[in-house]
Amino acid sequence: MLDGILQDRLETHGLGRVKSYKTVEEVVRASLAVQAQDQAMARYSFSLRTGLSEQDILEELHQGNILRTHLLRPTWHYIHKDDIRWLIALTGEKILSSSASIYRKVGLTQETCVASFAILKEILAHHSLTKKELMLALTEQNYHHQSRALTHLLMMAEAKGLICSGQPTAKGEHTYTLLDTVVPPLRDFNRQEAIKSLLFRFLKGHGPTSLKDMMRWVNLTKKELRLALSMLHAGSASYKGTELWFLKEESSPSKEKEKLTTLLPFFDEALLSYRDITFEKCSDFPDPLFLENGGGSIIVENKAVGLFKRRLSKAGLLTIEVHLAKSLSADTLVKVEGALQDFVDFLPAKTHTISYQ
């Protein structure tokens, strides 16, 4: 049954040899939100679903339809500009209340925030700025907090719907701009309808999935999610005592499909979104050394057989560290090499080294 669950998920995620999407915009809309603190690996996740080159993906991300901001849990996400307002309205207040103790710890009082937000509105009214440029501009206006406080101030401004991502710099650096210059204000908002819409989009892009996974993905309560599930008339099935939910229209039996063989970034929605029921690991799977940016799992025919870590030097030299289970067959090792080559072909570095640990 696990294979059936994984095949259904791979289909909803658009992963397979035949690419399900033509653009990054289609991927983001289908997933609703794509985790994006590791931007380089997020671009590879987009390529796995579209077949696009990194340059094509960068060009589309720079067009302005896809924004990068903190919401849902919160953490960095790519989000379509048509969805950002209602998602902030749905999750922003919970983000602010859950982070209140951190704000106090770094010295962000109400007085400080009101004054700082006024300055942000003034200095971002004319052009986008990087975090470093914002720090300099705020310091000139008698803002004397450290970088950590600025990080939380900007996250607070995002949760309040004040700022979002602006046009990246020529070097690809993230910038901030006023949300009002990018997206018009939200006209109407019905919280329960918003939860229903979010859950519909989540199940369509991530199902079958558990209630625990839903609560990890977005900071909503179990009661709110259960009500939305009933409104959607969602279907469910049990696997090893865990109830998995899906849209009934998506619940037709899986046809025989090619199993997934790829390098899957740790922050990919197909890996990160599920805690308990996910890809089975080899019995001698290596210790999780690379739970960080640039790392991921090596998947061969829906089974996790190893880990990888991408390291790119300033000189452009690419090194991929590989940790594999020791019990792999020769056929599996050939498939691992093919997946590694697909990853190398996507990356911009012209020279590379694969280091088996």
Side-chain angles (χ1 to χ4, degrees):
M1 185 176 179
L2 178 59
D3 268 348
I5 293 169
L6 293 176
Q7 289 302 119
D8 286 343
R9 284 179 179 169
L10 294 176
E11 186 172 358
T12 59
H13 281 285
L15 287 167
R17 285 291 176 186
V18 178
K19 304 305 178 186
S20 299
Y21 303 106
K22 295 181 180 180
T23 65
V24 172
E25 185 172 344
E26 288 180 358
V27 176
V28 174
R29 281 188 178 278
S31 187
L32 182 58
V34 174
Q35 195 153 331
Q37 68 265 50
D38 187 350
Q39 295 185 77
M41 296 303 286
R43 292 194 291 271
Y44 189 57
S45 289
F46 286 136
S47 181
L48 289 175
R49 291 157 171 82
T50 62
L52 294 172
S53 69
E54 183 169 50
Q55 185 58 41
D56 288 338
I57 292 168
L58 283 169
E59 288 177 3
E60 189 173 350
L61 289 173
H62 289 184
Q63 289 173 7
N65 289 326
I66 307 301
L67 305 177
R68 182 172 177 259
T69 192
H70 288 88
L71 41 65
L72 296 179
R73 291 191 280 282
T75 188
W76 282 114
H77 281 87
Y78 285 121
I79 188 80
H80 194 276
K81 66 179 183 180
D82 291 347
D83 292 314
I84 191 169
R85 287 284 192 190
W86 69 268
L87 283 175
I88 288 175
L90 180 60
T91 65
E93 286 302 319
K94 186 72 174 290
I95 290 171
L96 294 170
S97 62
S98 64
S99 303
S101 61
I102 299 176
Y103 298 151
R104 290 193 296 270
K105 188 174 181 179
V106 298
L108 294 178
T109 64
Q110 182 175 1
E111 182 181 0
T112 299
C113 292
V114 169
S116 300
F117 291 158
I119 298 172
L120 286 176
K121 287 181 180 180
E122 181 181 347
I123 61 180
L124 290 175
H126 307 293
H127 45 75
S128 302
L129 295 173
T130 65
K131 180 182 175 182
K132 186 175 181 180
E133 290 168 337
L134 282 174
M135 183 61 140
L136 291 173
L138 285 164
T139 301
E140 291 175 357
Q141 299 284 343
N142 296 318
Y143 176 93
H144 299 300
H145 291 281
Q146 295 180 348
S147 178
R148 185 185 175 200
L150 178 60
T151 296
H152 288 289
L153 177 73
L154 295 175
M155 289 175 65
M156 188 188 301
E158 289 172 316
K160 286 181 172 290
L162 175 63
I163 63 173
C164 66
S165 58
Q167 186 70 18
T169 68
K171 295 182 179 180
E173 292 178 275
H174 181 88
T175 69
Y176 294 89
T177 192
L178 297 178
L179 183 58
D180 285 346
T181 65
V182 179
V183 182
L186 191 65
R187 291 185 177 181
D188 300 302
F189 178 75
N190 180 296
R191 182 173 178 82
Q192 191 54 55
E193 285 300 316
I195 295 173
K196 179 182 174 183
S197 179
L198 178 144
L199 197 53
F200 176 84
R201 299 271 294 276
F202 180 73
L203 291 178
K204 193 171 181 64
H206 297 76
T209 182
S210 70
L211 197 59
K212 182 178 178 181
D213 291 331
M214 298 176 212
M215 293 176 68
R216 192 210 66 81
W217 198 79
V218 62
N219 56 4
L220 296 174
T221 67
K222 185 181 293 187
K223 182 179 179 180
E224 288 174 319
L225 291 169
R226 282 200 177 277
L227 177 58
L229 285 169
S230 67
M231 293 172 67
L232 290 171
H233 304 291
S236 68
S238 180
Y239 177 73
K240 291 188 176 181
T242 298
E243 195 169 19
L244 298 174
W245 296 87
F246 50 84
L247 296 177
K248 289 182 179 178
E249 61 185 67
E250 309 290 332
S251 63
S252 57
S254 296
K255 299 177 182 178
E256 190 66 29
K257 302 182 183 74
E258 182 181 9
K259 294 182 179 180
L260 182 68
T261 295
T262 191
L263 302 192
L264 202 57
F266 277 128
F267 297 116
D268 190 285
E269 291 291 316
L271 193 61
L272 182 73
S273 301
Y274 315 100
R275 289 295 176 89
D276 299 325
I277 302 174
T278 184
F279 298 100
E280 182 183 357
K281 296 178 181 177
C282 292
S283 58
D284 56 344
F285 190 79
D287 292 333
L289 303 174
F290 304 142
L291 292 173
E292 56 186 26
N293 287 0
S297 283
I298 302 172
I299 308 295
V300 174
E301 295 188 345
N302 290 1
K303 193 169 187 176
V305 301
L307 299 165
F308 74 95
K309 171 70 178 179
R310 163 191 178 273
R311 301 186 189 279
L312 188 63
S313 72
K314 292 182 178 179
L317 177 63
L318 171 68
T319 300
I320 303 174
E321 294 181 21
V322 178
H323 288 243
L324 295 174
K326 305 300 182 184
S327 59
L328 302 184
S329 67
D331 181 60
T332 297
L333 289 173
V334 170
K335 292 176 180 177
V336 168
E337 290 176 0
L340 285 166
Q341 189 60 52
D342 288 343
F343 182 56
V344 168
D345 290 344
F346 172 78
L347 297 172
K350 294 182 179 180
T351 57
H352 72 275
T353 301
I354 298 178
S355 175
Y356 290 89
Q357 303 298 311

